[in-house]
Amino acid sequence: MLKIQLRADFLVLSRALTAIVLSCFTLAALNSCLFAGDDVQSPSPDPAADQVPSESSAEKLTDELLQHQMMHDIKPLMQQYCFDCHTGSSAEAGVDLTIYESIDAIRNSSSVWNQVRGLIKIGAMPPPEEAEMPDDATREKLSGWIDQALHYVDCEQCSAPAIVTVRRLNAVEYDHAVADLFSTDLRPSQAIGFVTDEVGNGFDNQGETLTLSPLAIEKYLEAATLVSEEVISENRGSLRNQSREGGSLERGDTFAVEFDLAAGEYEFSSGIEFGFNQDFSVDAEVRIDGELIDSFEVAPRRKNYKWKREVTEGLHRFEVKFIDNEKISEGGSRRRLRIDHVNTKGPSQGEPRYPVSHRSVVIAYPTDEVSVEDAATQVVRNLFTRAYRRPADDDAVEANAKIIVQEVNEGTAYVTAIKHLIERTLASPEFFFRLERNSGLPANIERLQADVQYVEAYDLASRLSFMLWSSIPDDELLRLAGDGSLLDEKVLRQQVDRMIDDPRAYKGLVQQFFGQWLGLRNLDSIQVDQDRFPSYNIELVNAMRRETEMFCDHILKSGKLIDLLSADYTYANPRLAELYQLQFEGKDALELYVGSTRNRERATRNGSYRDESKFIQVSLDDKRRGLLTQASILTLTSNPTRTSPVKRGKWVLENIVGDPPPPAPPGVPALEDSAKDGSNMSLREQLELHRADASCASCHKVMDPIGLGLENFNTIGQFREKDQGLPIDAAGQLADGREFVGSGALLQLLLADEEKFARHFITKLLTFSLGRGLVREDSCTVDVILRQTTDSNFALRDIVKSIVCSDPFRYRLPSEE
């Protein structure tokens, strides 16, 4: 890691680099000048170097050199090979390369120039049909210079971390914060209808997009009221009757619910029935906390069953099991045991227990020995500390305690006054904004750079929790922040391990980062023709998403980055196992299908499977490996009625390779229009016809072969050998000339560029973690993380730890207060 306090050691070396950079001549020499932890090699002398103005900054000197090369060496080459098509208002793809006269102008349009660099490097531009084409050395010179112009920065210069814009919590973070703060499953963003969060840099947690509109403020106020009413129980007597929703059971299955109860005797009741107008009954069992309390016959018609039970204070589990025995005849084998509800009444004596959400806030009550103000002070301090993610301000605690006292004196119930406290707490910017305070500047870096400081310990706890959990810090993080030990790198790494192993990492880093990076959030909006794919329904969509999430969660906890592409296992429930033609726990998945199988294709639309919610790790055959062959990704990159090699190739370039193609130029006909009367043409032939358009050829040369390599998987990810009766040809050639046949060989080519994949993945995760777009200086951090994680073959845990311990994550610029 590049530690700011150690950077003074590099200043002498940086000054030496200044002199070396001035003498650089060729692009190869310039590359050798860029310090990357290896020995700096002596370049050849440059007769023109004396013409480069002298500056005090090594970085500025390099910019001047790049500018000099641009005008005298690079621009003539681009004029020779590029300007014919990329000049003026009629420029191809709307890209006019003649307007860029400076390095700064190029950097201000980095997305355009990154695409230019990629297309030049792989030979897609200029188009192959051009009469004059650059040789390989010229391509390397052009693409290498663009790469340096966009990304070069002197990593040994002491540059301050980029500013992270103060931002509000997005909808997911708000919901998770409320859930963790009050131990509730309420989702205010959905119940109230929050303003949709804008996406920036691929994620919805970016500071520049999380602004606060008047409508958003109204929604926050509504949410504060809703949460306070949900959390606080003003009528304790109503807690004597609790109810849980029921469910349905297949033979042999168990239904279970939990109740949080005070000590005492309770009456449990449930309405249960079996089938419709059956002339026989079935057996069921009821258990409480695992102990059998009743075994009985369930009548064909609904009946309300009751049981009395003495319990201790705490959580208690109530279970109903549908017994699978010889009494179930063939006529009723597919009927379900239906449970309408489960109720409790009690305790018969004493007070019922408040819900955990209520108890999480109201930690003290007024008594003969405890005044209202003393009790309120305890409640306020506890709530403010947890909600605002730092020790509560004494003045704020005192003021709010006095408000509660005043309300009680005026006749308001104590718990009602606490409800009003919750409303004030959640309506405060201290809660729904992520605010960071200035911290004391460590003495050992003050002399080097007085405008850079450690992220204050409590703010570091929040950075960590919102990165990994998309939620507020828990008690342990706050404790470690309080004693300062969280600033210790060893402790920080230990906390990363603890937090990754916590279930909240699934709802946080897995669903939020991986979900957005891979596009899983878009699955619900994908339209698939159900006449062609009748098994496609909401249950299958949910299974697809769950598979990829569980897969990523497993690799996050115990895998390496490359496993995302190469793993020979995945996670499946019976529905997904059938789609993949795999067995589920030793059985054909179809055997677990519940419903008529006389017309299997139609039945799957509304039918279900035994153990629908059960996902297990399953081994894959040679046809499938990693993310690229999972149904979620294959469906996301398809059209409603057919596959899309273009979408699939584009997805791989954007998400795996990190070289997204430029958008299609205006006026380009759709693939179907290009094919004209090609109803008997294969998809490959239609694409070849589409590429006959010169404006399409350059990008499709890059995308199409990748997508065609995945053609053995249909629109929803089922493996196939033919498409509309025609054999599938899954062979291809990448733009750099490497050839492959099928998805397996394609994957091997992608795996050969593991470091490139790692760099792209780190860039995306760093963007998500910091909540801002990356700047050129962040490339130094990416380089460091790459070096730090190479020995572990880019284990995902190690990548996360390196990001958390990196300079941009742990240091900040002070704000004006």
Side-chain angles (χ1 to χ4, degrees):
M1 184 189 70
L2 297 175
K3 290 183 177 295
I4 292 178
Q5 60 265 38
L6 298 179
R7 284 177 174 163
D9 297 339
F10 297 113
L11 290 180
V12 174
L13 179 59
S14 295
R15 295 190 186 102
L17 283 173
T18 299
I20 295 174
V21 169
L22 278 172
S23 62
C24 291
F25 174 52
T26 64
L27 179 63
L30 177 59
N31 286 332
S32 71
C33 292
L34 304 181
F35 180 78
D38 299 324
D39 293 335
V40 179
Q41 302 182 18
S42 300
S44 303
D46 179 7
D50 292 339
Q51 302 175 25
V52 181
S54 178
E55 300 284 350
S56 59
S57 163
E59 182 179 340
K60 188 66 175 178
L61 287 169
T62 304
D63 285 355
E64 294 291 347
L65 177 60
L66 290 169
Q67 180 72 33
H68 179 79
Q69 287 188 325
M70 175 184 178
M71 302 309 296
H72 293 83
D73 194 11
I74 301 301
K75 193 168 184 178
L77 290 175
M78 300 197 75
Q79 186 171 4
Q80 179 179 359
Y81 296 112
C82 306
F83 284 5
D84 283 350
C85 296
H86 293 282
T87 300
S89 58
S90 60
E92 289 287 344
V95 177
D96 181 2
L97 297 178
T98 65
I99 65 174
Y100 298 95
E101 297 290 338
S102 69
I103 298 297
D104 287 341
I106 289 176
R107 288 171 179 165
N108 289 336
S109 298
S110 59
S111 60
V112 172
W113 280 90
N114 259 321
Q115 292 171 347
V116 171
R117 175 199 57 78
L119 292 172
I120 291 175
K121 185 173 183 178
I122 63 178
M125 291 295 288
E129 63 271 13
E130 291 293 319
E132 188 175 15
M133 298 291 291
D135 57 23
D136 291 342
T138 301
R139 288 188 183 279
E140 185 63 30
K141 186 174 186 177
L142 284 167
S143 62
W145 179 88
I146 295 171
D147 187 60
Q148 296 293 353
L150 290 175
H151 302 124
Y152 172 75
V153 62
D154 185 352
C155 295
E156 309 318 322
Q157 288 295 305
C158 191
S159 57
I163 295 175
V164 179
T165 305
V166 173
R167 60 195 185 275
R168 62 173 172 82
L169 305 185
N170 63 28
V172 170
E173 292 169 340
Y174 189 99
D175 284 348
H176 287 182
V178 166
D180 291 340
L181 185 59
F182 301 113
S183 300
T184 178
D185 56 3
L186 180 67
R187 295 294 178 262
S189 71
Q190 299 175 21
I192 297 297
F194 276 15
V195 175
T196 301
D197 295 316
E198 297 293 332
V199 174
N201 309 309
F203 302 102
D204 64 3
N205 69 341
Q206 303 292 287
E208 58 262 42
T209 64
L210 288 171
T211 55
L212 186 65
S213 66
L215 179 57
I217 294 175
E218 289 184 22
K219 295 298 183 181
Y220 280 142
L221 295 177
E222 290 181 44
T225 301
L226 176 69
V227 172
S228 69
E229 292 174 348
E230 173 76 15
V231 167
I232 298 299
S233 299
E234 296 181 86
N235 182 2
R236 194 171 189 181
S238 65
L239 300 175
R240 292 190 179 278
N241 294 285
Q242 299 185 46
S243 182
R244 301 288 185 271
E245 290 185 5
S248 60
L249 298 176
E250 305 296 340
R251 53 199 297 182
D253 289 347
T254 298
F255 171 82
V257 293
E258 285 190 335
F259 293 93
D260 193 2
L261 305 173
E265 185 181 66
Y266 286 80
E267 179 183 272
F268 294 81
S269 62
S270 180
I272 306 175
E273 67 175 343
F274 174 74
F276 296 93
N277 299 319
Q278 300 295 321
D279 56 1
F280 58 92
S281 61
V282 296
D283 294 334
E285 293 177 348
V286 168
R287 284 178 167 81
I288 295 180
D289 298 331
E291 181 181 348
L292 179 66
I293 64 170
D294 196 10
S295 180
F296 57 98
E297 287 188 344
V298 179
R301 297 287 187 176
R302 180 183 178 280
K303 179 181 177 181
N304 198 44
Y305 297 85
K306 296 181 180 181
W307 307 269
K308 287 190 176 182
R309 181 75 170 176
E310 187 86 20
V311 301
T312 58
E313 183 177 80
L315 286 175
H316 295 276
R317 181 180 175 89
F318 179 91
E319 298 177 350
V320 178
K321 183 175 182 179
F322 183 2
I323 302 300
D324 185 2
N325 57 25
E326 65 279 358
K327 290 183 67 174
I328 304 177
S329 66
E330 182 62 29
S333 62
R334 296 196 179 274
R335 294 293 187 187
R336 300 184 181 185
L337 196 68
R338 295 177 180 168
I339 303 165
D340 287 346
H341 62 269
V342 179
N343 294 338
T344 65
K345 182 184 296 185
S348 57
Q349 295 181 349
E351 293 292 338
R353 196 180 195 201
Y354 278 118
V356 62
S357 59
H358 182 107
R359 302 196 309 268
S360 69
V361 179
V362 192
I363 62 172
Y365 292 87
T367 65
D368 292 340
E369 292 78 24
V370 180
S371 68
V372 174
E373 185 170 2
D374 287 344
T377 298
Q378 294 182 55
V379 171
V380 174
R381 188 175 300 280
N382 175 65
L383 180 59
F384 280 12
T385 297
R386 296 170 61 230
Y388 301 156
R389 288 89 75 181
R390 62 181 52 255
D393 178 77
D394 289 339
D395 292 339
V397 170
E398 181 181 357
N400 278 271
K402 289 186 181 301
I403 293 174
I404 294 173
V405 171
Q406 182 178 349
E407 287 188 83
V408 171
N409 289 340
E410 293 174 353
T412 301
Y414 176 73
V415 294
T416 303
I418 300 301
K419 187 174 78 169
H420 299 159
L421 169 69
I422 292 175
E423 294 178 12
R424 295 194 299 275
T425 302
L426 299 187
S428 169
E430 293 276 347
F431 174 73
F432 60 75
F433 268 107
R434 290 180 58 184
L435 305 172
E436 295 190 348
R437 278 71 172 174
N438 289 338
S439 63
L441 190 65
N444 60 342
I445 66 170
E446 188 169 5
R447 60 181 177 82
L448 179 62
Q449 190 175 12
D451 62 344
V452 176
Q453 61 186 202
Y454 282 112
V455 171
E456 191 262 351
Y458 287 103
D459 292 330
L460 183 61
S462 285
R463 286 192 177 195
L464 190 58
S465 67
F466 280 105
M467 172 193 175
L468 296 179
W469 293 343
S470 295
S471 187
I472 58 178
D474 64 359
D475 291 341
E476 181 167 351
L477 280 178
L478 293 177
R479 177 182 62 80
L480 294 172
D483 63 23
S485 57
L486 190 62
L487 297 175
D488 182 272
E489 184 172 320
K490 181 179 179 180
V491 174
L492 199 55
R493 288 176 175 271
Q494 291 171 345
Q495 288 303 298
V496 170
D497 278 329
R498 178 182 73 87
M499 297 175 71
I500 285 178
D501 291 333
D502 190 285
R504 282 171 285 190
Y506 186 94
K507 294 192 299 180
L509 194 60
V510 171
Q511 291 187 329
Q512 305 316 312
F513 168 71
F514 286 97
Q516 293 183 78
W517 170 48
L518 301 176
L520 300 181
R521 289 186 175 183
N522 299 325
L523 266 177
D524 288 334
S525 62
I526 296 297
Q527 300 295 317
V528 171
D529 187 339
Q530 286 196 318
D531 288 332
R532 295 194 181 194
F533 306 100
S535 62
Y536 188 82
N537 54 26
I538 187 60
E539 288 81 10
L540 181 60
V541 171
N542 291 336
M544 290 178 178
R545 183 189 297 104
R546 181 81 184 278
E547 172 200 10
T548 302
E549 289 175 350
M550 293 185 68
F551 176 75
C552 292
D553 183 59
H554 174 77
I555 294 176
L556 171 65
K557 287 178 168 59
S558 58
K560 300 175 177 60
L561 182 64
I562 206 66
D563 296 338
L564 290 172
L565 300 181
S566 63
D568 60 356
Y569 58 84
T570 189
Y571 290 82
N573 66 351
R575 186 181 297 273
L576 206 56
E578 185 184 351
L579 186 78
Y580 288 169
Q581 297 179 322
L582 301 172
Q583 286 198 329
F584 187 86
E585 295 186 325
K587 295 183 178 180
D588 187 324
L590 182 57
E591 295 179 23
L592 302 175
Y593 181 74
V594 179
S596 172
T597 57
R598 286 177 294 179
N599 189 337
R600 179 73 181 95
E601 288 300 304
R602 293 188 181 277
T604 52
R605 287 191 178 183
N606 299 313
S608 62
Y609 295 73
R610 288 281 306 277
D611 300 324
E612 182 91 38
S613 62
K614 184 177 183 179
F615 280 73
I616 61 173
Q617 188 179 108
V618 295
S619 298
L620 298 172
D621 55 30
D622 293 338
K623 301 185 187 75
R624 295 184 190 272
R625 287 292 185 273
L627 285 170
L628 297 188
T629 59
Q630 289 184 4
S632 61
I633 305 303
L634 295 165
T635 302
L636 279 168
T637 52
S638 294
N639 291 323
T641 60
R642 61 168 176 81
T643 60
S644 173
V646 177
K647 288 183 179 179
R648 289 178 175 177
K650 183 174 182 286
W651 188 94
V652 171
L653 290 173
E654 289 179 339
N655 294 280
I656 306 302
V657 180
D659 278 334
V668 174
L671 178 61
E672 291 81 357
D673 295 334
S674 298
K676 295 181 180 178
D677 60 348
S679 56
N680 295 322
M681 299 172 65
S682 69
L683 188 55
R684 177 182 288 273
E685 291 170 332
Q686 294 180 46
L687 284 169
E688 289 175 355
L689 186 61
H690 191 66
R691 288 197 298 271
D693 189 323
S695 62
C696 303
S698 59
C699 293
H700 281 271
K701 175 186 175 182
V702 183
M703 296 185 293
D704 294 359
I706 296 174
L708 288 168
L710 299 171
E711 265 299 281
N712 281 119
F713 300 97
N714 73 6
T715 299
I716 61 174
Q718 292 171 303
F719 188 83
R720 60 185 181 170
E721 298 287 354
K722 294 182 178 181
D723 179 24
Q724 299 183 31
L726 299 174
I728 290 174
D729 179 4
Q733 183 182 55
L734 299 185
D736 59 10
R738 291 180 293 171
E739 298 181 345
F740 64 89
V741 178
S743 59
L746 169 62
L747 179 62
Q748 292 305 312
L749 297 183
L750 296 176
L751 293 176
D753 294 328
E754 180 180 2
E755 185 169 321
K756 187 172 185 179
F757 176 38
R759 178 178 293 276
H760 177 61
F761 178 84
I762 291 168
T763 298
K764 299 298 286 186
L765 184 53
L766 188 61
T767 300
F768 175 84
S769 303
L770 297 177
R772 63 167 173 81
L774 301 190
V775 296
R776 287 190 302 126
E777 288 77 8
D778 290 319
S779 63
C780 302
T781 300
V782 174
D783 290 340
V784 171
I785 296 170
L786 273 171
R787 291 200 297 270
Q788 289 179 339
T789 55
T790 297
D791 289 345
S792 67
N793 294 320
F794 307 115
L796 258 63
R797 275 184 188 265
D798 289 344
I799 291 175
V800 173
K801 290 176 184 177
S802 290
I803 287 176
V804 167
C805 294
S806 69
D807 285 357
F809 199 88
R810 298 181 68 192
Y811 296 97
R812 64 185 290 271
L813 291 174
S815 58
E816 295 183 5
E817 292 184 345

